[in-house]
Amino acid sequence: MRTIATITANEMRAINRSAVLEVIRQYAPISRVEVANRLGVSLPTVMRLVDDLLAEDLIRPSQTSVSTGGRRGELLEFNASGHLVVGVDLGGTKIHGAITDLAGNILHEVNVTGHMTHGEDSYSLLVNLLENLSSIAASSGKHLLGLGVGVPGVVHPESGEVSLAPALNWNDFPLRPRLERYFGLPVVVENDVNLAALGELWFGAGQDANTLVLITVGTGIGAGVIVNGCLYAGTHFMAGEVGYLVPDRTFLGKPLEGFGALERLASGTGIAERARQRLKAVRPVEALESLTAEDVFEAARAGECWATEVVDETVDYLAQAIAAIQLVIDPEVILLGGGVSNSADLLIEPILQRLAGVIPVQPALLPSRLGYRAGVLGAMVKLLRVTANYYLLQKFS
């Protein structure tokens, strides 16, 4: 049976507080009167909420002031530079860590490639990176708001437990509780693609959208789904696990362990493997072992037939997935990210050509603007929302 929710007085205050904070963040420098006018809320209500936000140091007086005909009025701005966040995008083979402020400015970052760790070794590597970044952030003298971690798997949004992350060999791994005990700071743990989608929503190619889907094609394939400005997790917290889409009837009735059917064919790993199968009779085994998806796209640009065929097949597989996403969710924009998005010039237009006239609405398909930094910026967004008791309001028509 569906739960019927009501709003308490405290929740109503939190909703209004979130709206005031968001207006100041977007339209600063801004006066209290203009905030009230934009929101249609009484000035005394805005003044009380502004006092709360000033006390929490989330906003501050602006250096700019405005004349109201008498004394010059105080303007307000979001205190983006006064707080820092440490974010880590923990991949199966690569890690990107960064220190950001609340405006999305990256102040320090580090990349780890080819770590190839699993289980407790992955956790130890993560803790070491978070310790180093937290130490650098602390040396700035600014307030460290907390830590945000993106992982390539299924995350329970309330407990912060990683239910399934094949690339790290994590199953029911209590990541957030362990990190909170170790660091004594607020921690958010989320699927890596979900965080990347939040990053694109606030700072990237999705800034003008309320509903978007970010598809990342790398070692695997995943999608972050945002509906009306909020992440959509799904009943089993697996919304966006599009790597498990079935691109062909030959996969039916054949249980797969680890990676799904679509990502076995169209991920970076899948692209490289299909290329190896085509070349195994003409190239030495040793040469094929190091073949990557980037090599395939480079060869396709050079006009090599085997590579062109592999890329064409990849376009077909991704076009089917994008058609399904467009028809089921109908987002304002679909973004293509991940390592393979570096070759978006060979993918986006061909995908749109495949779908022209096939589905009723042509998707607005764009490349990611933030690239590998999207995840750490999304970690900042989610951490701010969690620590600031952030609400988004939707009215059903």
Side-chain angles (χ1 to χ4, degrees), residues 26 31-32 41 55 59 76 91 140 179 203 306 329 345 355 389:
Q26 290 192 34
S31 69
R32 293 166 174 80
V41 178
I59 63 173
L76 303 166
S140 72
L179 292 177
F203 303 112
W306 65 269
I329 299 175
D345 58 307
L355 297 180
N389 197 23

Side-chain angles (χ1 to χ4, degrees), residues 79-351:
N79 187 13
S81 62
H83 305 269
L84 301 179
V85 169
V86 169
V88 172
D89 187 347
L90 177 63
T93 58
K94 300 177 182 178
I95 305 176
H96 176 235
I99 301 168
T100 77
D101 65 15
L102 301 188
N105 298 309
I106 293 180
L107 309 178
H108 179 82
E109 62 185 335
V110 61
N111 288 291
V112 179
T113 59
H115 68 87
M116 304 302 289
T117 62
H118 299 91
E120 284 295 322
D121 289 339
S122 296
Y123 176 73
S124 297
L125 181 63
L126 172 63
V127 167
N128 288 337
L129 182 58
L130 288 171
E131 282 183 325
N132 292 336
L133 291 172
S134 298
S135 176
I136 295 170
S139 68
S140 72
K142 296 183 178 181
H143 175 236
L144 179 56
L145 196 63
L147 315 175
V149 180
V151 297
V154 180
V155 178
H156 192 293
E158 294 180 1
S159 69
E161 181 177 275
V162 181
S163 305
L164 176 67
L168 302 172
N169 196 24
W170 283 355
N171 293 284
D172 300 325
F173 194 90
L175 182 58
R176 193 181 78 198
R178 290 182 66 174
L179 292 177
E180 286 178 334
R181 286 195 300 269
Y182 189 90
F183 287 97
L185 290 167
V187 176
V188 296
V189 175
E190 181 58 87
N191 172 269
D192 54 352
V193 188
N194 284 350
L195 290 185
L198 276 178
E200 292 286 350
L201 177 74
W202 272 41
F203 303 112
Q207 289 183 75
D208 296 328
N210 286 313
T211 300
L212 67 86
V213 176
L214 168 68
I215 304 171
T216 61
V217 184
T219 304
I221 300 178
V225 181
I226 290 179
V227 178
N228 294 323
C230 293
L231 283 172
Y232 178 71
T235 302
H236 302 97
F237 319 119
M238 292 189 69
E241 292 291 335
V242 296
Y244 292 93
L245 286 174
V246 181
D248 188 274
R249 63 192 294 266
T250 58
F251 285 96
L252 297 174
K254 299 176 181 178
L256 300 175
E257 294 185 4
F259 293 103
L262 179 63
E263 53 198 352
R264 287 170 184 260
L265 296 172
S267 68
T269 306
I271 292 168
E273 180 56 31
R274 285 190 291 111
R276 291 188 193 101
Q277 294 303 315
R278 270 186 164 75
L279 295 172
K280 64 181 179 180
V282 296
R283 288 192 184 180
V285 174
E286 298 78 14
L288 293 179
E289 287 178 353
S290 61
L291 189 69
T292 66
E294 289 81 2
D295 296 330
V296 176
F297 285 108
E298 189 174 322
R301 287 192 180 89
E304 297 189 40
C305 291
W306 65 269
T308 301
E309 291 171 358
V310 172
V311 172
D312 283 346
E313 289 175 357
T314 302
V315 168
D316 290 342
Y317 293 133
L318 293 177
Q320 292 177 73
I322 288 167
I325 289 168
Q326 181 65 41
L327 293 170
V328 173
I329 299 175
D330 193 21
E332 293 168 66
V333 63
I334 298 176
L335 306 177
L336 188 63
V340 171
S341 69
N342 294 328
S343 300
D345 58 307
L346 296 181
L347 296 172
I348 289 180
E349 283 306 317
I351 287 172

